[in-house]
Amino acid sequence: MKKGIIATAVIILIGGLMTWQLFANKQEIDSKKEVKVNDASIAVTVAEVGKTSMEGNINLTGATEANQVVKVASKTTGEIVQINFKLGDYVSKGTVLARVDDTYTKLALDNAKINYNKYKEDAQRYQTLREGDAVTETQLRDMKIAFENARIQLEQAQRQQEDTYIRAPFSGYITSKDVDLGKFVNVATPIAEIADISELKVMVSVSESNIYNLQKGQTVSVNTPVYSGVSFPGKIVHISAKGDNSHSYPIEISLANSKQYPLKAGTYVDVSIDMGESKPALCIPREAILSSVKDPTVYRIEDGIASLVKITTGKSYDSHLEVTSGLDEGDKIVTSGQINLMDGAKVIVVN
């Protein structure tokens, strides 16, 4: 009996020890999961929101494009018997780039000329005979129809013969060569690509807040790192009537290629559009913006506490953005140190 009581007490004791150990382990694990709150202030730099007049330059980045680019194709079927260009050549409008075998088209043209001359003489003879009442009006009419058909067949044969000469549709540079001597081509088989870069165009997108201040014919300045310090005058030739989902509107800028500083199609360029001096408006530095300009937020400092504020921006300038709502004049906003902040964090201003 005593042995049973002792055994029971030992079991209870062991169970108690195990329960206590498990409880102690849980407290240790929970303590490791606790987020330790640091009451230390985070150092930031700030700027004061104020009204200012900005020089209204819109700066955009794009790439030059050729004024015209076309794949020159064959208009007939046959073997390429002559090629008169190399990759990179400059060719003038109307230059014969290649020739297709014209053996059969020449024969057809010669036959059409013979028929045309025959029916031309017959028509003249029938006209004379009709004047002497030697042929009927119906016979004269039939002869005139036959002569007209011969004329049409001659024009068709001449066109088919001309189609064996593949010509440049405009002046430009050969940017691709797609055929070799002896290759058999069909109608619409491309033989070369020509790019006209005497004029270049640049496509850029402008925000909704600026697009309404632009006009067709407005002059712009185009620069490229390729020619440091050189500015190319350009002109707005098209403003899209439709924007995309981000409220950006494509515009096309045209500029004459320079002989002194020639540009190639595909060169990165910076476009600067002078919008004139703006009226005084609330402006903030770009570096204060969190996330993106499309959905901007900033940290506003008040009594040493950072508050995340959603704002609405207006016009865009080189280093500043216009603020149309969300901030007031005199507000202080964080310009550096945002990466360490969260809404409600304590801060210390170091500037």
Side-chain angles (χ1 to χ4, degrees):
M1 185 68 178
K2 290 183 178 180
K3 289 182 179 180
I5 295 173
I6 294 173
T8 301
V10 170
I11 291 172
I12 294 173
L13 178 61
I14 292 173
L17 290 172
M18 291 178 65
T19 302
W20 177 82
Q21 185 64 44
L22 289 172
F23 179 75
N25 291 342
K26 183 178 183 305
Q27 283 187 320
E28 183 179 354
I29 292 171
D30 289 344
S31 67
K32 291 180 180 179
K33 291 182 178 179
E34 289 180 0
V35 177
K36 298 184 184 300
V37 179
N38 189 354
D39 292 333
S41 298
I42 301 170
V44 296
T45 58
V46 300
E48 185 173 314
V49 180
K51 288 187 176 181
T52 183
S53 297
M54 305 293 294
E55 291 183 358
N57 284 353
I58 304 174
N59 294 304
L60 307 163
T61 301
T64 56
E65 299 177 20
N67 184 45
Q68 298 181 83
V69 179
V70 70
K71 281 280 190 181
V72 183
S74 174
K75 297 180 180 180
T76 188
T77 300
E79 180 186 350
I80 296 292
V81 296
Q82 184 179 357
I83 295 178
N84 304 322
F85 68 92
K86 299 186 300 295
L87 195 62
D89 282 354
Y90 179 83
V91 295
S92 300
K93 180 180 179 180
T95 299
V96 177
L97 302 177
R99 283 186 55 225
V100 179
D101 181 23
D102 62 354
T103 302
Y104 295 109
T105 56
K106 275 186 176 179
L107 292 174
L109 178 59
D110 290 342
N111 185 59
K113 285 180 179 178
I114 292 171
N115 286 335
Y116 174 80
N117 291 330
K118 174 185 178 299
Y119 282 108
K120 181 179 180 181
E121 292 176 359
D122 289 346
Q124 292 172 349
R125 182 165 56 85
Y126 268 58
Q127 183 66 44
T128 302
L129 291 173
R130 178 58 190 155
E131 291 172 359
D133 204 25
V135 297
T136 64
E137 185 67 32
T138 300
Q139 289 175 312
L140 177 61
R141 183 195 63 194
D142 291 343
M143 180 52 65
K144 286 182 177 179
I145 292 174
F147 173 58
E148 181 65 17
N149 286 334
R151 184 191 65 79
I152 293 173
Q153 289 174 2
L154 176 60
E155 289 185 0
Q156 288 177 340
Q158 289 172 334
R159 179 60 183 269
Q160 289 171 350
Q161 174 64 19
E162 175 60 27
D163 285 347
T164 63
Y165 295 83
I166 305 174
R167 302 179 184 273
F170 52 79
S171 299
Y173 289 92
I174 302 293
T175 56
S176 74
K177 179 174 178 287
D178 303 312
V179 294
D180 293 309
L181 202 62
K183 180 177 180 179
F184 188 89
V185 296
N186 292 309
V187 176
T189 299
I191 68 151
E193 183 180 78
I194 299 180
D196 172 20
I197 58 171
S198 59
E199 287 189 5
L200 296 167
K201 56 186 178 182
V202 181
M203 301 296 297
V204 292
S205 293
V206 179
S207 65
E208 186 178 271
S209 59
N210 291 320
I211 195 69
Y212 287 93
N213 296 315
L214 302 183
Q215 295 179 343
K216 286 180 64 175
Q218 185 173 342
T219 58
V220 303
S221 178
V222 180
N223 300 275
T224 174
V226 176
Y227 299 115
S228 180
V230 178
S231 181
F232 300 88
K235 181 172 63 175
I236 298 175
V237 295
H238 171 71
I239 301 175
S240 177
K242 182 178 181 296
D244 58 22
N245 293 333
S246 63
H247 297 274
S248 294
Y249 294 76
I251 68 171
E252 181 180 327
I253 295 166
S254 175
L255 65 151
N257 209 342
S258 170
K259 292 183 178 179
Q260 186 177 3
Y261 302 103
L263 291 171
K264 299 180 184 296
T267 302
Y268 281 110
V269 293
D270 296 317
V271 178
S272 179
I273 306 175
D274 185 5
M275 303 293 290
E277 188 173 336
S278 67
K279 295 180 180 179
L282 288 180
C283 289
I284 63 172
R286 282 182 179 272
E287 57 264 29
I289 297 291
L290 297 171
S291 61
S292 68
V293 176
K294 297 177 184 177
D295 186 27
T297 54
V298 298
Y299 277 113
R300 179 174 57 197
I301 304 303
E302 188 174 2
D303 297 329
I305 303 297
S307 300
L308 190 62
V309 178
K310 184 175 177 59
I311 64 172
T312 304
T313 58
K315 292 182 179 180
S316 173
Y317 303 101
D318 284 343
S319 58
H320 286 69
L321 291 170
E322 179 187 8
V323 177
T324 57
S325 67
L327 293 173
D328 296 318
E329 188 174 5
D331 285 347
K332 290 182 171 56
I333 57 172
V334 177
T335 56
S336 68
Q338 302 100 313
I339 192 172
N340 299 316
L341 289 181
M342 63 179 62
D343 195 23
K346 292 181 179 181
V347 298
I348 180 171
V349 177
V350 297
N351 57 332

